[in-house]
Amino acid sequence: MDQRIERSEILKRLRAKIEKGQAIVGTGAGTGLSAKCEERGGTDMIICYNSGMFRMAGRSSCCGVLPLGDANSILLELADEILPIVKNTPVIAGVYAQDPYRRMKCFLQEIKDLGFSGVQNFPSVGGFDGRMGREFQEVGMGYDREVEMVKIARDLDLLTTPYAWTMEQAEKMMTACPDILVAHCGCTTGGTIGVDTAMTLDEAAKLCQEIHDYVKSVNPETIVICHGGPLEGPKDVEYVLKHTKGVVGFYGASSAERLPAEVAITNTVKEFAQIML
């Protein structure tokens, strides 16, 4: 990408789509080919973070929240693969806010200078509940660090598109005035490395609606979209959007690059394997 797309321009594009009744679509890319195809397909935003590398290497997206490499360094490596190939679509950086070796304001400025148009809080501790989530918070590595990262990004005029898994997290994140809040419904199901256990589509719709209603009560300008869990394909997303009011889009990662690749490659090789001499 020749240059970063300004936050104001991105929001103008997104609100124009909403006015036309079209859903916002953001898609994760772990390879340059994924990014190229997603842009050709008409995605509104391309999200770049460490899980994409693991996912497209045949490993679970859950690897992204485990100590399997330096998440922010992986992001920078992916930047070299993805940013030069994207022509006119904003690319969002997934930033690991708890990184104790980064001065976050300096790092976010570096992200901006590289050509990223915005940020997302991933990897995130937001999906850790119970004892582990409490212990992260007690040692200063909890979800609050992600809220602070989003605040810094907003001050730098980067588009902010954070995840929230719960109402409590949505309440915290709204103090950072995000542009887009993504209601996270858990790890995505389906395929060879998707999770088996997830909330139902109706449960996902209920969570998204609750988060939406709270977000809009705080700031009517914040856009609310959904992600993950049972939202495996376009029909699942359409179901949730039709069973909620005001939720206007979807972020897809596994559903946008891993699952389509699994199906297409498997079926194509099956066809080759059936060729008779």
Side-chain angles (χ1 to χ4, degrees):
M1 187 168 64
D2 292 334
Q3 62 182 21
R4 181 178 58 85
I5 300 174
E6 295 293 335
R7 171 175 167 267
S8 58
E9 172 61 22
I10 301 168
L11 290 172
K12 180 181 176 181
R13 294 182 189 181
L14 298 181
R15 288 181 177 133
K17 284 197 72 175
I18 295 169
E19 285 293 319
K20 294 177 183 177
Q22 298 173 327
I24 293 170
V25 178
T27 50
T31 69
L33 180 60
S34 295
K36 177 178 283 191
C37 292
E38 288 166 11
E39 184 168 49
R40 289 178 65 189
T43 189
D44 297 305
M45 293 169 284
I46 294 172
I47 306 99
C48 174
Y49 49 76
N50 70 329
S51 271
M53 183 196 73
F54 293 115
R55 179 167 55 243
M56 298 310 287
R59 275 73 176 184
S60 169
S61 296
C62 293
C63 291
V65 295
L66 294 174
L68 299 172
D70 180 341
N72 287 328
S73 291
I74 292 172
L75 167 67
L76 296 179
E77 291 172 13
L78 287 173
D80 289 336
E81 181 166 352
I82 291 171
L83 288 173
I85 212 167
V86 176
K87 303 303 181 185
N88 193 40
T89 305
V91 182
I92 309 301
V95 176
Y96 179 46
Q98 287 80 7
D99 189 337
Y101 294 99
R102 304 275 179 179
R103 292 170 293 169
M104 194 48 60
K105 186 173 182 178
C106 295
F107 184 62
L108 291 180
Q109 185 63 57
E110 180 182 358
I111 290 296
K112 184 175 182 177
D113 292 342
L114 280 171
F116 283 103
S117 298
V119 300
Q120 186 179 47
N121 58 328
F122 197 89
S124 171
V125 299
F128 288 89
D129 54 15
R131 188 188 73 182
M132 199 72 232
R134 185 178 65 252
E135 289 176 352
F136 277 133
Q137 192 69 23
E138 288 175 355
V139 299
M141 299 182 71
Y143 189 79
D144 290 350
R145 289 284 290 274
E146 299 170 32
V147 175
E148 183 59 30
M149 183 273 289
V150 171
K151 288 179 179 177
I152 297 170
R154 182 62 187 269
D155 289 342
L156 292 172
D157 203 34
L158 287 159
L159 188 80
T160 52
T161 71
Y163 284 137
W165 279 255
T166 66
M167 281 295 299
E168 180 184 3
Q169 290 171 6
E171 291 169 6
K172 287 184 175 183
M173 191 55 76
M174 284 307 293
T175 66
C177 299
D179 297 303
I180 301 171
L181 192 99
V182 187
H184 200 305
C185 299
C187 292
T188 306
T189 57
T192 59
I193 51 177
V195 300
D196 295 325
T197 305
M199 62 180 70
T200 66
L201 285 171
D202 287 326
E203 289 169 337
K206 182 174 184 292
L207 173 65
C208 292
Q209 189 67 66
E210 289 174 350
I211 288 177
H212 166 273
D213 293 348
Y214 173 76
V215 166
K216 291 295 186 180
S217 73
V218 176
N219 184 0
E221 295 300 310
T222 300
I223 296 167
V224 179
I225 64 176
C226 56
H227 168 77
L231 302 173
E232 187 178 322
K235 294 296 184 184
D236 304 316
V237 175
E238 185 177 28
Y239 181 92
V240 168
L241 295 185
K242 287 188 180 300
H243 286 78
T244 52
K245 184 177 181 180
V247 180
V248 294
F250 170 69
Y251 261 4
S254 292
S255 54
E257 64 170 349
R258 173 178 65 81
L259 290 169
E262 286 186 25
V263 173
I265 294 171
T266 300
N267 290 342
T268 299
V269 173
K270 281 182 178 179
E271 289 185 33
F272 279 126
Q274 290 170 2
I275 295 173
M276 300 297 293
L277 298 178

